[in-house]
């Protein structure tokens, strides 16, 4: 579904990603972890074709997005839902217009119909639609904005891939739980390929069974939870060290569940 | 001897700095050129965003109206006042209308209107697009399969192409009326004298230049303002810098282009300007 083949990427002259290779199948969930500034968001931007790698190929649905024309890229993007790290809601549009953005732009549905769908979607992401639908994004709390952003990404014509950039960062535990539940529900119910970037090890374990750890632009680990807990590579250990305890607690809990 | 070397080194760094600056300048110019081409291309291809264009027409046109009216009133009267005194010295007050037409329709109307719009609208466009860029909204738009040049830049370009000439005409008319007030009440030229002298110079060539200029300036404003907005980087500070750059650059470019149009059109339209 999505494949990175020896991708190198640099901003100006600064090399950000070095020789990144991995593959995500349709209906697979993958978590990307790594320290701040290691290049996680950049990977998502590359998948969307917002940037192009200097070297290497990115294959999406058997097509190389790096070699596409802008118009072809747009067709691919319509199949990808993306939740940006900061939400990136359109601040001059109301909440329901944000949620219904894709339908407003790409379909001939009537405004009423789209409004109905937006209300339903807001309920789906756990928000009180009647209360907030006519407000502007700035009038919502950060956590609510994040959920609106997720709703916006979902309310397109059947995304085949969902990309989440740190969906729970800065949320209170309850909202974080809701958002995680939502991501999981989507992944299982509609079975779309899901890539989640996160710092939270607990979230990571809750969401996926495959993990990639990126440190300084290099993939230092790619495997499942058991492999991760046994991984002896210094860089991986270094990254995991701060949450060693909680990590094992979560890991154990997970194994007991299984 | 050592002094010499350090002197040389200093010279080299200056040379390098100039070289770097020139390279950046050429690079920027080239990018802006290609960006402008993309905007032009996007103008003639689907989809068209009518409601955005309507909104921009309103914001740019109606929103700038008060500014243009004030500009026209005061520029026209000030100009007429200064010249009526000077013309009176030569006993040529009756020519005030002709001079007003030449000055207002050919030069002041287009330039002042465009500068005012550059200050108000170019700043607005750059700041708005820059803020959208820095909060990832433009990327989000692209991620939804929408071309931000078509959705954001083209409606502004079209609105400017329509509104800058329209506002120029309004500015011209108001300035001519300002001249009329001065000539009748202060310079004591009769109303018929003023208007007939105005009409003498309202000929094809002058009107043509007077409309060609704002049309060209509207492209200048749209290209520079949108380019600066889309390429702003560096957060809030970057948006501020881009906005300043945008106003400065559009204003200077308008003045330079104005000179060249006057120069070229004079050469080409000699017979129609008498
Ligand atoms: N527009 C840009 N221009 C130049 N450098 C950039 C740009 N965006 C990101 N970078 C650099 O790229 C590197 C990776 O950034 P990225 O946003 O991918 O990190 P990240 O892993 O998502 O970090 P975080 O966890 O803090 O979100 C950083 O070192 C950053 O400085
Ligand atoms: Mg990031």
């Amino acid at each position: 579904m999505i494949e990175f083949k020896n991708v190198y990427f640099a901003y100006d002259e600064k090399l950000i990603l070095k020789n990144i290779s991995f593959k995500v199948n349709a209906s697979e969930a993958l978590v990307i972890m790594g320290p701040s500034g290691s290049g996680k968001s950049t990977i998502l931007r590359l998948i969307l074709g917002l940037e192009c790698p200097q070297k290497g190929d990115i294959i999406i649905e058997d097509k190389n997005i790096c070699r596409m024309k802008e118009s072809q890229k747009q067709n691919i993007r319509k199949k990808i839902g993306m939740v940006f790290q900061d939400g990136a809601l359109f601040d001059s549009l109301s909440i329901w217009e944000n949620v219904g953005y894709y339908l407003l732009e790409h379909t001939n549905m009537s405004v009423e119909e789209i409004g109905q769908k937006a209300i339903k979607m807001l309920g789906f992401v756990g928000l009180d639609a009647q209360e907030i639908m006519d407000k502007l994004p700035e009038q919502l709390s950060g956590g609510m904005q994040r959920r609106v952003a997720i709703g916006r990404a979902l309310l397109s014509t059947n995304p085949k891939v969902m990309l989440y950039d740190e969906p729970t960062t800065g949320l209170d535990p309850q909202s974080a739980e809701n958002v995680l539940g939502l991501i999981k529900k989507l992944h299982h119910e509609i079975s779309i390929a899901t890539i989640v970037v996160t710092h939270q090890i607990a979230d990571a374990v809750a969401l996926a069974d495959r993990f990639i750890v990126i440190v300084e632009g290099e993939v230092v680990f790619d495997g499942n939870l058991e492999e991760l807990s046994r991984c002896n590579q210094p860089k991986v250990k270094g990254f995991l060290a701060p949450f060693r305890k909680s990590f094992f607690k979560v890991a154990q809990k997970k194994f007991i569940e299984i | 001897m050592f002094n010499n070397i350090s002197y040389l080194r200093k010279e080299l760094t200056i040379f390098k700095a100039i070289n770097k600056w020139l390279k950046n300048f050429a690079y920027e110019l080239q990018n802006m050129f290609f960006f402008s081409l993309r905007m032009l291309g996007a103008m003639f291809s689907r989809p068209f965003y009518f409601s955005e264009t309507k909104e921009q027409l309103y914001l740019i046109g109606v929103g700038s109206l008060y500014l243009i009216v004030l500009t026209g009133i005061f520029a026209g009267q000030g100009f007429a006042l200064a010249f009526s005194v000077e013309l009176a010295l030569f006993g040529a007050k009756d020519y005030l209308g002709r001079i007003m037409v030449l000055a207002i329709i050919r030069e002041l109307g287009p330039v002042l209107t465009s500068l005012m719009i550059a200050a108000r609208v170019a700043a607005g466009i750059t700041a708005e697009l820059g803020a959208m860029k820095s909060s990832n909204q433009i990327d989000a738009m692209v991620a939804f399969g929408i071309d931000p040049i078509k959705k954001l830049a083209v409606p502004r370009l079209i609105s400017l192409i329509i509104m800058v000439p329209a506002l120029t005409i309004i500015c011209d008319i108001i300035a001519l009326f300002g001249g009329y007030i001065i000539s009748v009440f202060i310079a004591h030229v009769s109303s018929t004298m003023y208007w007939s002298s105005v009409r003498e110079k309202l000929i094809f060539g002058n009107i043509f230049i007077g409309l060609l200029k704002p049309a060209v300036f509207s492209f200048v404003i749209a290209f520079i303002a949108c380019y600066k907005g889309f390429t702003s980087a560096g957060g809030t500070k970057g948006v501020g810098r881009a906005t300043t750059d945008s106003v400065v650059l559009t204003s200077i470019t308008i003045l330079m282009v104005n000179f060249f149009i006057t120069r070229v059109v004079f050469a080409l339209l000699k017979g129609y300007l008498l």
Side-chain angles (χ1 to χ4, degrees):
Chain A
M1 185 69 198
I2 296 177
E3 186 175 5
F4 273 54
K5 285 185 186 165
N6 308 94
V7 170
Y8 286 78
F9 177 76
Y11 274 119
D12 302 323
E13 266 129 54
K14 194 173 146 222
L15 200 55
I16 307 290
L17 298 177
K18 297 158 209 157
N19 199 10
I20 300 274
S21 298
F22 66 87
K23 198 173 169 186
V24 186
N25 296 321
S27 81
E28 190 178 11
L30 168 75
V31 165
I32 301 178
M33 290 185 286
S36 192
S38 54
K40 305 177 300 291
S41 300
T42 309
I43 288 181
L44 300 189
R45 293 177 63 80
L46 286 169
I47 294 175
L48 277 172
L50 293 172
E51 319 283 353
C52 265
Q54 278 79 8
K55 233 171 95 183
D57 295 311
I58 299 168
I59 315 289
I60 298 175
E61 284 200 315
D62 305 322
K63 281 174 225 127
N64 191 337
I65 191 153
C66 318
R67 305 248 172 78
M68 278 181 196
K69 278 192 282 181
E70 218 24 60
S71 56
Q72 290 169 303
K73 278 187 191 172
Q74 284 186 15
N75 285 330
I76 289 281
R77 285 173 187 141
K78 286 178 192 167
K79 297 180 190 160
I80 304 177
M82 164 89 172
V83 179
F84 283 84
Q85 192 162 357
D86 52 3
L89 295 177
F90 301 116
D91 55 14
S92 58
L93 300 181
S94 68
I95 297 300
W96 82 265
E97 284 170 320
N98 264 288
V99 175
Y101 193 77
Y102 184 95
L103 302 178
L104 286 168
E105 288 297 333
H106 293 301
T107 63
N108 293 326
M109 270 184 228
S110 72
V111 173
E112 288 78 30
E113 218 175 326
I114 295 174
Q116 288 304 320
K117 281 187 187 266
I119 290 175
K120 234 166 114 189
M121 181 53 74
L122 284 170
F124 186 71
V125 294
L127 292 167
D128 181 356
Q130 297 305 331
E131 166 94 22
I132 62 165
M133 62 181 285
D134 289 317
K135 287 189 174 165
L136 289 174
E138 61 178 16
Q139 294 169 291
L140 264 55
S141 76
M144 290 161 103
Q145 287 188 19
R146 197 71 56 81
R147 276 185 273 168
V148 172
I150 294 176
R152 182 180 71 173
L154 292 178
L155 196 60
S156 51
T157 41
N158 314 325
K160 295 231 169 66
V161 182
M162 283 297 292
L163 311 174
Y164 303 89
D165 199 348
E166 306 194 14
T168 59
T169 307
L171 299 192
D172 63 278
Q174 183 61 52
S175 308
E177 195 73 12
N178 290 346
V179 166
L180 286 181
L182 192 66
I183 295 174
K184 252 167 107 169
K185 183 161 113 186
L186 272 166
H187 177 62
H188 289 302
E189 277 178 10
I190 326 178
S191 116
I192 37 184
T194 304
I195 300 181
V196 186
V197 168
T198 181
H199 290 288
Q200 252 70 33
I201 214 96
D203 294 3
V205 175
L207 284 171
D209 25 50
R210 186 165 156 223
F211 308 88
I212 285 181
V213 179
I214 292 189
V215 177
E216 285 162 16
E218 282 177 285
V219 176
V220 293
F221 176 84
D222 184 350
N224 62 26
L225 182 63
E226 208 201 321
E227 287 163 339
L228 185 63
S229 65
R230 278 188 283 131
C231 185
N232 271 327
Q233 225 183 307
K235 277 183 178 167
V236 180
K237 278 179 119 171
F239 170 66
L240 289 175
F243 14 60
R244 202 78 211 169
K245 246 186 182 162
S246 63
F247 171 63
F248 277 114
K249 230 186 269 166
V250 175
Q252 272 169 2
K253 199 171 137 207
K254 173 112 177 172
F255 285 129
I256 291 166
E257 272 175 19
I258 295 168
Chain B
M1 192 178 136
F2 284 109
N3 273 348
N4 254 346
I5 289 178
S6 80
Y7 170 74
L8 203 69
R9 191 173 295 151
K10 210 178 204 171
E11 187 133 273
L12 269 177
T13 36
I14 291 174
F15 179 73
K16 263 188 200 152
I18 293 176
N19 187 30
K20 196 176 158 201
W21 186 86
L22 277 178
K23 260 190 198 153
N24 278 345
F25 180 74
Y27 183 69
E28 180 103 335
L29 208 64
Q30 178 192 328
N31 280 348
M32 206 185 289
F33 176 72
F34 284 120
F35 179 85
S36 308
L37 286 187
R38 266 186 73 191
M39 258 172 89
L40 283 179
M43 204 163 101
F44 297 106
S45 63
R46 282 167 178 286
F48 299 107
Y49 292 101
F50 286 110
S51 65
E52 274 81 5
T53 310
K54 246 183 358 205
E55 189 187 341
Q56 288 303 323
L57 275 172
Y58 183 83
L59 287 176
I60 293 174
V62 181
S64 306
L65 198 56
Y66 73 98
L67 197 63
I68 297 309
V69 169
L70 288 176
T71 307
I73 290 176
F74 290 110
Q77 296 202 20
F79 196 81
L81 203 53
F83 264 81
S84 64
V85 175
E86 193 66 24
L87 287 175
L89 287 180
F90 295 95
K93 275 195 304 192
D94 298 352
Y95 286 112
L96 189 59
R98 306 175 61 148
I99 288 183
M100 286 298 288
V101 171
L102 292 185
I104 300 288
I105 300 221
R106 269 202 222 158
E107 299 289 328
L108 283 184
V111 171
L112 286 180
T113 306
S114 306
L115 286 181
M116 285 299 173
I117 293 181
R120 183 179 172 275
V121 177
I125 291 177
T126 306
E128 189 181 352
L129 297 184
M132 288 184 80
K133 170 102 197 284
S134 81
S135 58
N136 277 334
Q137 289 178 59
I138 294 198
D139 285 337
M141 207 171 258
V142 175
F144 273 106
I146 287 163
D147 181 355
I149 293 196
K150 269 184 206 152
K151 172 107 180 162
L152 299 171
V154 169
R156 286 164 172 80
L157 171 63
I158 292 176
S159 307
L160 282 166
I161 294 175
I162 296 172
M163 281 306 173
V164 178
L167 289 168
T168 301
I169 293 174
I170 294 174
C171 181
D172 288 348
I173 292 174
I174 289 177
L176 286 181
F177 265 99
Y180 162 79
I181 291 170
I182 296 292
S183 67
V184 172
F185 293 102
I186 295 181
H188 303 295
V189 178
S190 80
S191 160
T192 25
M193 196 64 220
Y194 178 78
W195 288 120
S196 67
S197 133
V198 162
R199 220 171 302 130
E200 259 173 62
K201 279 288 166 188
L202 269 186
I203 49 172
F204 167 76
N206 289 335
I207 295 177
F208 176 76
I209 298 187
L211 288 178
L212 175 72
K213 280 181 176 177
V216 174
F217 297 158
S218 65
F219 285 94
V220 170
I221 297 172
F223 288 156
I224 295 178
C226 292
Y227 176 79
K228 281 288 171 193
F230 275 123
T231 55
S232 84
T236 335
K237 220 176 185 173
V239 175
R241 211 178 317 119
T243 308
T244 317
D245 284 358
S246 160
V247 175
V248 171
L249 208 57
T250 36
S251 308
I252 297 285
T253 312
I254 285 172
L255 290 175
M256 290 195 311
V257 171
N258 178 58
F259 172 75
F260 284 111
I261 295 181
T262 308
R263 189 85 192 76
V264 170
V265 172
F266 260 32
L268 295 178
L269 274 187
K270 253 181 229 144
Y272 298 94
L273 293 174
L274 295 172

